Amino acid sequence: MIMMAKREDRTKVLIIEDDPVITEFLSTGLRYEGYDVTGKDNGRAGLEALKREAFDLVILDIMLPDIDGFEVCRRIRAKAIEVPILMLTVKKDISDRVMGLDSGADDYLTKPFSFEELLARMRAILRRSGKARENSKLHAAGVVLDPATRRVSLHGRGVELTPTEFGLLELFMRHPYRVFTRDTLLNRVLGYDFDGGTNIIDVHISHLRNKLGDRPPRLIRTVYGVGYAFHPGDDAS
Amino acid sequence: MKLVERLSLRAKLGLLYAALLIFSVVLVGFCSYWNIWELFINNKSSHLRARAKPVIEHWLIGNGLAGSPHPRLDPDRAAALARDLTSRDSVAIILNREGRIIATGRRLPEEPEAPLPDQQELKRAFAGENEVTYCSQVHGEPVLVMLIPLRPAPASPHIFGVIQLSSTLADINQILFRHGAMLMGLVAAILILGTLAGYWLIGVSLGDLQGLLDACHQISKGNLSKRVPLKNRKDEIGQLASSFNEMVDRLEATFASQQRFVANAAHELLTPLTGLKGSLEVLLRGAQDDPVARARLSKGMYKEVNRLIRLCDQLLGLSRLESSSHIHRQTVGLQDFFSDFMSQARLLAGNRSVLLRPGPFVTISVDPDLLQQILLNLLSNALRHSTDETPVVITWRLRPEFVEIEVSDQGEGMDQETLSHVFEPFFKGKSTGRSLGKRSGLGLALAKSMVEAHGGSIHIRSNLGKGTTVTFTLPIK
C-alpha cells in the first residue's frame, strides 16, 4: 500500500484547467509525488475554491471556457491572495509570457511540457515563496541526504554514491514505504527511454545496500515478485 | 542589337531621344542653309538683271535695233555693250546666233574672268527662255551665270544674240560659311542642352521605376512588408506602383492567413499531445503500478488520440476541398435526402428537438456526403449554443437559380465581433460553460469550404440572446 504523509502536512495544489485529460494526469502524477491536489475546470470555480481554502500553489491554464487565465491571475492578485501561480500556455509568443508574468504569475510552462520539469518548477516556486513544507534535507535511520549539495552521510560519515545510486536513495527517502517496481525505478532514475533489462536495477540496489552497510532487516527491502520499498524503521507515518 | 538589349530603359530612351534631336536639328539647319543660299542667288540675279536691263534697252535704241525686223549683231557694237555691262564684280560676254563669242567686256585685270559658255544652257536661251540662271566655276571659284537673249522688242521671237552675265559668288559663300559655322555651333549647343534636359526628364519620369524595381527585389527576397513609395503620381507609373502595392497587400494577407492557419493547427495539435505526453510520463513514473490510475490515464490517452485523429481528418478535409475533384455530385431530391438525414439528426440531438419544415420539391446536383456533413456541423453548433427547451429548425426554400437551406436556433446568439470571425479556421467564440477543449473551431470553416466547393455561398446572422440562423445556397444544376 502507498503510505502518505498526513493530509495537513502535504503541499496543497489547485489545478485550474478545462482539459479533463490534462487535469487527470496532473492530479494523478502530483498525488504520487505527495501533493494534495484539487482540480477545477473553469476560472470562476477556481476563484471560488481559492476564496474558501488556502492553497500553496496554483497551476493555471490560460485557455479557459469562461474567463481566461490572465484575468483569473489578475483577480487573484486583486484580492491580495499571496499564492504562487504557475501558468500553462500553448502559445509560444513572447507577448503571452510577458502578459502572464505581468498579470501576476510566478512562472509559466509551455505545453506540451515534461512532467519532470513541472515538478522542478513547482519545487523552485515553493522554495522561493517559502511555502515548501518539506525540509530540504532528508533524514531517515541515520542516513542524511541533501538534494541541494547531492551529499549523503551515514551516522555523520560521508558516503560516496554514483548518480544512479543517489537517485535511487533520494526516491526511496522521499517516498518511504512505497513499493516501486523495477520498471518504475528504471524509468525514474535512468530515464524513460533507457533501453535495457530491469535487472540493472538489482545491481545498483545491491551496490547501494553495500555502501549503506544495509543488513537484514534492511532499509531497502525486496518485495518479492514486485520490486523494492524503503523502510526507515522508526515510526514515520 | 545585343548591345541595345543590354542597355537600361533609361539609356535606350536617352539614345532614341538624342538621335531624334540630332536628326531634327540637322534637318532644320540644312533647310535654313539651303533657303539662305537660294535667297542670296535670287537677290544677286535680280540685282544683275536690274542693272543690265536699262543698259541693254539704251543700247538697243541707240543702235537703232529696237523694233527692227531684221536686227544684226555688229561685233563693235556688241563690244561696246559688253563693256558697258562689265564692272568690278560682273563681266559680260556676247554670243551670236551660232553660239560663238563675238565680244567680251573684260578689259582690266581686276575685273573677273567670264566662264566658258555652257552649250546646253545656251540652247535654252536661244529657244526663248528669258531667265536662264545657273552656277559655274572659273578657276575653282564659284560664279553665278545669267543668260539674257537679245531681242529687238520684248517678247519678239527674233533672238539675234545672247548676253552672258557672270558674277562671282565668293562673297555669298563667305557669308554662308559664317552662317554655317554659327549654325553648327547652335546645333551643338542645342544637342548638348537638349540631351541633358532629355536625360533629366527621362530620369524624372522613370525615377520611380527604380524604386519599384528595388521593392520587387526586396519582396522577392521575402520582405512582404515592403511597398513602393507612391509620391502621388497619377501617370502610368503611378498606377503601376499602386496596383503593384495592392497586389503585394493581397499577397501579404494571404501569407499571413496561411501562417496563422498553420500556427493554429499546430496549436490545436499540441493540446491533445500535452495530455498524451503527460499521461505517459506519469504512467512511466510509477502510476503504471496502480491499476486504477493506469485505467484512468489510458482512457484519457485514448480520448486524446481520437481527438488528434479527428483533427487530422478535418484538416485533410479542408485541404481536399481546395480541389473540386473530391466532390462526387449526384442528383439528389431534397425530400428524400432530408428524410434520411433527420434520423441522423435525431441521433445527434438526443432528447433535443430538431424540426424539419420541408420546402418545395426540388432535385439538385450535390455530393450527398458533403451536404450531410455541412448540415451536421451546423446542427451541432445550433444544439451547442441553445438551451434544451428550444428547438432547432431546418428548412429550405427555392430561389430562381439555387436552393437556400437554413438551420436556425433560438439560443444565446453572438455579437458582431464574434460574427465577423466565425468562418475563420480555429476560431472559437466565448463558450458558456461547455468545454472549449473538445472543439477544434473548424466546423464552420469546413462548412464554408464545402458549400463554396459546390459553387454556393454561406451566411450567418445572429441576435444576442435571440438566436442564430445560418443560411447556405446550392445552385440547381
Side-chain angles (χ1 to χ4, degrees):
Chain A
M1 248 351 273
I2 299 162
M3 313 286 276
M4 290 220 178
K6 287 189 197 103
R7 194 164 191 270
E8 50 269 30
D9 290 345
R10 287 183 282 152
T11 307
K12 293 175 74 180
V13 178
L14 174 65
I15 301 172
I16 310 178
E17 158 71 75
D18 67 321
D19 189 308
V21 179
I22 294 175
T23 311
E24 174 67 37
F25 88 72
L26 280 179
S27 39
T28 309
L30 290 178
R31 273 186 200 119
Y32 265 72
E33 294 305 316
Y35 291 96
D36 177 40
V37 184
T38 308
K40 296 289 171 200
D41 67 353
N42 64 68
R44 277 181 228 286
L47 285 169
E48 279 296 308
L50 274 167
K51 221 186 283 175
R52 280 196 312 270
E53 223 178 314
F55 287 92
D56 298 310
L57 180 76
V58 178
I59 296 175
L60 178 61
D61 186 31
I62 287 185
M63 291 280 282
L64 291 170
D66 51 350
I67 39 181
D68 68 33
F70 301 122
E71 186 54 35
V72 174
C73 213
R74 275 190 286 272
R75 289 196 196 175
I76 292 173
R77 293 301 178 229
K79 285 177 188 157
I81 301 174
E82 285 290 324
V83 61
I85 299 172
L86 176 67
M87 263 198 181
L88 301 181
T89 162
V90 187
K91 292 171 192 169
K92 293 205 167 158
D93 284 352
I94 294 277
S95 63
D96 251 42
R97 302 182 201 170
V98 171
M99 206 169 146
L101 296 176
D102 277 353
S103 60
D106 295 80
D107 204 353
Y108 63 87
L109 263 179
T110 349
K111 290 181 190 173
F113 50 85
S114 130
F115 191 71
E116 200 85 57
E117 189 184 353
L118 173 82
L119 291 174
R121 292 208 186 218
M122 283 171 67
R123 281 199 294 269
I125 291 177
L126 288 168
R127 258 202 313 278
R128 279 205 300 272
S129 67
K131 294 216 177 196
R133 302 241 166 145
E134 66 192 33
N135 203 333
S136 61
K137 281 184 185 173
L138 302 167
H139 299 263
V143 181
V144 179
L145 181 142
D146 186 351
T149 60
R150 300 188 72 79
R151 285 223 179 98
V152 179
S153 65
L154 180 66
H155 303 301
R157 272 186 300 111
V159 180
E160 285 299 316
L161 295 183
T162 64
T164 311
E165 289 156 6
F166 182 88
L168 283 169
L169 186 60
E170 183 183 358
L171 190 60
F172 283 132
M173 289 181 78
R174 281 191 193 277
H175 306 280
Y177 305 108
R178 185 192 295 182
V179 180
F180 288 100
T181 61
R182 288 179 178 82
D183 252 328
T184 303
L185 289 173
L186 191 72
N187 286 334
R188 294 195 53 164
V189 179
L190 290 171
Y192 309 132
D193 44 13
F194 181 83
D195 281 323
T198 50
N199 50 2
I200 189 141
I201 287 297
D202 298 327
V203 176
H204 286 295
I205 295 274
S206 131
H207 287 171
L208 184 59
R209 279 171 171 165
N210 284 341
K211 287 185 181 176
L212 293 178
D214 194 12
R215 285 184 177 69
R218 297 177 191 273
L219 276 173
I220 302 169
R221 287 189 192 164
T222 308
V223 183
Y224 289 101
V226 187
Y228 297 95
F230 187 67
H231 286 251
D234 52 321
D235 191 18
S237 53
Chain B
M1 254 1 253
K2 280 233 168 111
L3 185 75
V4 173
E5 277 166 27
R6 245 185 284 143
L7 288 174
S8 72
L9 190 60
R10 187 174 177 163
K12 273 185 213 162
L13 282 174
L15 271 180
L16 185 69
Y17 176 79
L20 276 174
L21 201 66
I22 289 171
F23 177 74
S24 53
V25 167
V26 165
L27 195 71
V28 166
F30 189 74
C31 286
S32 97
Y33 187 89
W34 183 256
N35 270 341
I36 289 170
W37 195 76
E38 194 98 309
L39 183 77
F40 275 134
I41 296 289
N42 280 344
N43 201 11
K44 191 137 200 163
S45 56
S46 60
H47 184 70
L48 277 177
R49 191 176 302 116
R51 242 182 31 198
K53 199 179 175 186
V55 175
I56 295 167
E57 272 172 10
H58 189 257
W59 177 81
L60 281 173
I61 294 162
N63 288 293
L65 289 165
S68 160
H70 303 288
R72 280 181 11 125
L73 194 57
D74 186 308
D76 293 339
R77 288 175 181 168
L81 176 60
R83 182 61 204 150
D84 284 350
L85 288 171
T86 300
S87 68
R88 277 285 184 87
D89 50 25
S90 59
V91 60
I93 55 173
I94 295 172
L95 300 112
N96 65 6
R97 289 185 65 104
E98 285 75 39
R100 276 191 300 111
I101 301 168
I102 56 167
T104 173
R106 183 172 182 259
R107 295 281 156 78
L108 302 171
E110 66 264 31
E111 287 163 356
E113 277 183 56
L116 286 174
D118 184 317
Q119 292 305 319
Q120 289 296 108
E121 304 288 343
L122 265 179
K123 264 183 203 156
R124 285 170 62 201
F126 279 115
E129 227 178 285
N130 275 335
E131 286 180 25
V132 179
T133 308
Y134 63 95
C135 287
S136 183
Q137 280 190 336
V138 178
H139 305 310
E141 283 277 314
V143 285
L144 177 71
V145 182
M146 180 185 274
L147 299 177
I148 303 169
L150 282 169
R151 310 167 194 253
S156 161
H158 303 291
I159 295 170
F160 57 95
V162 167
I163 304 165
Q164 178 197 291
L165 271 174
S166 61
S167 175
T168 180
L169 285 173
D171 50 345
I172 292 178
N173 263 19
Q174 212 172 358
I175 292 170
L176 276 178
F177 181 77
R178 272 211 312 276
H179 178 77
M182 244 163 62
L183 215 60
M184 290 288 270
L186 218 63
V187 164
I190 288 173
L191 269 179
I192 291 168
L193 284 177
T195 307
L196 286 177
Y199 202 69
W200 173 77
L201 198 68
I202 292 167
V204 168
S205 314
L206 298 183
D208 292 345
L209 222 49
Q210 192 59 47
L212 189 69
L213 204 62
D214 291 344
C216 280
H217 279 310
Q218 292 240 4
I219 289 160
S220 73
K221 278 186 200 143
N223 179 8
L224 279 179
S225 59
K226 183 80 188 160
R227 292 290 179 280
V228 182
L230 275 174
K231 293 181 197 151
N232 297 325
R233 280 181 73 140
K234 296 275 181 272
D235 61 0
E236 287 87 342
I237 289 179
Q239 289 167 22
L240 178 66
S242 65
S243 333
F244 181 80
N245 281 347
E246 279 167 33
M247 184 187 78
V248 180
D249 281 345
R250 269 203 295 281
L251 258 179
E252 193 182 17
T254 312
F255 264 65
S257 92
Q258 209 148 38
Q259 271 172 352
R260 217 166 36 239
F261 181 85
V262 172
N264 283 335
H267 186 277
E268 284 308 312
L269 292 171
L270 281 177
T271 309
L273 283 174
T274 304
L276 273 176
K277 183 186 162 91
S279 304
L280 275 170
E281 234 179 311
V282 168
L283 275 171
L284 288 171
R285 287 176 63 84
Q288 57 187 348
D289 303 334
D290 175 0
V292 179
R294 192 167 62 214
R296 289 172 67 125
L297 288 169
S298 311
K299 267 184 199 155
M301 284 161 63
Y302 184 71
K303 273 188 213 154
E304 295 292 54
V305 169
N306 278 341
R307 195 166 138 197
L308 277 174
I309 292 171
R310 207 165 49 239
L311 195 65
C312 288
D313 273 346
Q314 284 180 321
L315 285 173
L316 275 178
L318 262 183
S319 75
R320 255 193 225 119
L321 286 168
E322 305 280 305
S323 67
S324 55
S325 58
H326 289 275
I327 301 175
H328 306 292
R329 286 175 189 268
Q330 290 172 29
T331 305
V332 171
L334 275 189
Q335 259 90 352
D336 294 341
F337 173 83
F338 271 105
S339 64
D340 285 347
F341 175 76
M342 284 315 284
S343 58
Q344 292 237 22
R346 294 210 174 87
L347 234 112
L348 181 73
N351 53 355
R352 301 281 305 278
S353 88
V354 180
L355 298 178
L356 178 68
R357 297 218 176 101
F361 179 82
V362 62
T363 57
I364 55 173
S365 169
V366 70
D367 184 332
D369 291 338
L370 290 188
L371 180 57
Q372 182 177 315
Q373 262 197 61
I374 297 169
L375 284 163
L376 285 176
N377 280 351
L378 299 183
L379 183 63
S380 66
N381 275 349
L383 290 169
R384 192 183 312 121
H385 293 289
S386 59
T387 53
D388 292 355
E389 298 78 44
T390 56
V392 175
V393 181
I394 302 176
T395 182
W396 76 87
R397 281 185 291 272
L398 199 53
R399 295 278 183 250
E401 305 272 313
F402 47 84
V403 281
E404 207 173 70
I405 304 174
E406 206 172 82
V407 177
S408 55
D409 65 63
Q410 296 161 32
E412 64 208 24
M414 57 191 115
D415 54 28
Q416 285 302 315
E417 169 66 17
T418 312
L419 213 54
S420 61
H421 294 296
V422 283
F423 289 116
E424 287 171 17
F426 304 110
F427 177 80
K428 296 173 194 169
K430 289 236 161 59
S431 167
T432 50
R434 289 175 179 84
S435 172
L436 273 174
K438 289 282 169 0
R439 293 155 50 203
S440 61
L442 281 174
L444 275 177
L446 259 171
K448 183 172 191 268
S449 297
M450 290 189 270
V451 168
E452 282 171 358
H454 280 96
S457 59
I458 188 163
H459 308 280
I460 186 162
R461 51 178 202 279
S462 184
N463 275 327
L464 255 182
K466 292 204 175 140
T468 304
T469 301
V470 183
T471 312
F472 65 95
T473 63
L474 292 172
I476 307 169
K477 282 279 145 96

